[in-house]
Amino acid sequence: MPRDYNAVVSEIMFVTSEHMVLRVVPDGWEMSDYVPGQFATLGLPGGSARIPLSDPESEVPDPDKFIVRAYSIASSSVHKKYLEFYITLVRSGGLTPRLFALQRGDRLHLGPKITGVFTLDRIPEEANAVLIATGTGVAPYMSMIRTFLTPESPRRFTVVHGARHSWDLGYRSELATLSRMLPHFHYIPMISRPEEEITPWGGETGYVQQIWGRGIIAEQWGLEPTPDNTHVFLCGNPGMIESAVEVLAVDGFKEHTKKEPGQVHLERYW
Ligand SMILES: Cc1cc2nc3c(=O)[nH]c(=O)nc-3n(C[C@H](O)[C@H](O)[C@H](O)COP(=O)(O)OP(=O)(O)OC[C@H]3O[C@@H](n4cnc5c(N)ncnc54)[C@H](O)[C@@H]3O)c2cc1C
């Protein structure tokens, strides 16, 4: 089926000039049901405007052909008024410089097929979940938390979110508020460049995979996370994912594959 403009931007919120929360509504059709953690595709034609902050393109794309990429859904699957995405600008990229030039009311392509297996329904109901992300990799966790986190949820959830600076940590206030309200929900924001902060950063520093060795999750839970009681999700930068898989393997956590079930679940963004 040819791609077309079939959706409308209902809201754009800039976290920084290079991170945005984009809400999209299908235009004249109903979006299908989805499971938190899944992704959809967004697209714009090569001829659409790019923001000045982006790098010049070495090759000019076909102006009529849609450039399409995958984006994890950040909104809850229970209220389906819009699909929310959390997107970072890749200055040299094909699509993101065009997405960042959009305004409320503009039209774009939203792929009607929502898919992906990076979901909580593949882990036991009582298993605790550690959700580790870099950058916009927190998006699928927002959908999971906005859908499944209730005062009665049986499992402990911890979100570990890493970025360079505190101002790059999208959804920080929502996650921090939830962690203050719900004893079984914990949020660990981490930054890798504390020396560049405007005001002193009192939280965790370094890379998200380093959190595992610090004993913080066990302290917050009052329980050591082990492969018998916990599943770990890793999303975002592939370098972080490789490194975290190695760190987790030392404690007996195995990568989940189609052939062999394990406790480590991966979503690589590139
Ligand atoms: C299942 C899945 C879900 C995804 N969900 C998201 C999401 O929720 N939010 C999001 O911002 N991106 C997400 N991505 C990445 C997205 O599909 C695009 O690759 C990204 O937006 C860059 O597109 P582009 O056309 O601008 O760059 P391209 O021209 O496609 O250039 C790709 C290059 O950009 C870099 N890159 C790609 N993604 C990122 C990123 N997130 N941060 C830093 N550098 C990156 C890599 O070097 C990659 O090789 C997801 C990818 C997959 C496979």
Side-chain angles (χ1 to χ4, degrees), residues 61-267:
D62 181 337
D64 299 322
K65 196 173 166 209
F66 276 75
I67 304 168
V68 177
R69 303 282 185 264
Y71 293 97
S72 303
I73 298 167
S75 40
S76 160
S77 67
V78 286
H79 98 109
K80 287 178 27 196
K81 290 201 171 69
Y82 52 78
L83 287 183
E84 182 174 299
F85 302 96
Y86 180 38
I87 302 176
T88 194
L89 173 69
V90 176
R91 289 181 188 218
S92 60
L95 182 63
T96 52
R98 293 177 166 83
L99 290 176
F100 273 70
L102 287 170
Q103 297 193 0
R104 198 182 302 129
D106 283 348
R107 292 162 64 77
L108 76 168
H109 175 75
L110 170 65
K113 190 169 172 230
I114 299 179
T115 183
V117 294
F118 190 67
T119 54
L120 284 171
D121 56 6
R122 58 199 248 184
I123 76 170
E125 255 178 46
E126 68 289 353
N128 301 312
V130 179
L131 312 174
I132 301 180
T134 51
T136 51
V138 76
Y141 306 150
M142 294 312 298
S143 182
M144 293 174 186
I145 284 159
R146 288 166 163 178
T147 305
F148 297 124
L149 185 68
T150 62
E152 297 80 33
S153 343
R155 62 167 58 108
R156 296 173 182 84
F157 279 104
T158 289
V159 171
V160 185
H161 189 198
R164 285 184 186 159
H165 308 111
S166 60
W167 50 88
D168 300 324
L169 289 162
Y171 300 110
R172 187 173 159 205
S173 55
E174 181 174 338
L175 293 169
T177 305
L178 285 170
S179 73
R180 279 197 297 276
M181 290 167 62
L182 298 169
H184 53 294
F185 177 72
H186 301 275
Y187 169 53
I188 307 177
M190 289 183 77
I191 58 165
S192 59
R193 297 194 184 169
E195 68 285 358
E196 294 175 5
E197 289 294 297
I198 293 158
T199 54
W201 169 259
E204 293 299 316
T205 58
Y207 296 105
V208 284
Q209 58 273 27
Q210 295 170 330
I211 203 69
W212 202 255
R214 296 186 189 169
I216 296 171
I217 297 170
E219 199 180 298
Q220 290 177 334
W221 288 2
L223 172 91
E224 196 68 46
T226 68
D228 292 331
N229 62 28
T230 299
H231 281 242
V232 182
F233 287 68
L234 304 171
C235 186
N237 176 333
M240 174 280 282
I241 292 178
E242 299 318 318
S243 168
V245 165
E246 283 175 24
V247 170
L248 289 161
V250 174
D251 284 347
F253 285 83
K254 278 197 327 202
E255 185 178 332
H256 181 90
T257 63
K258 265 189 200 155
K259 284 193 186 143
E260 262 194 80
Q263 312 80 18
V264 184
H265 309 266
L266 317 178
E267 187 81 288

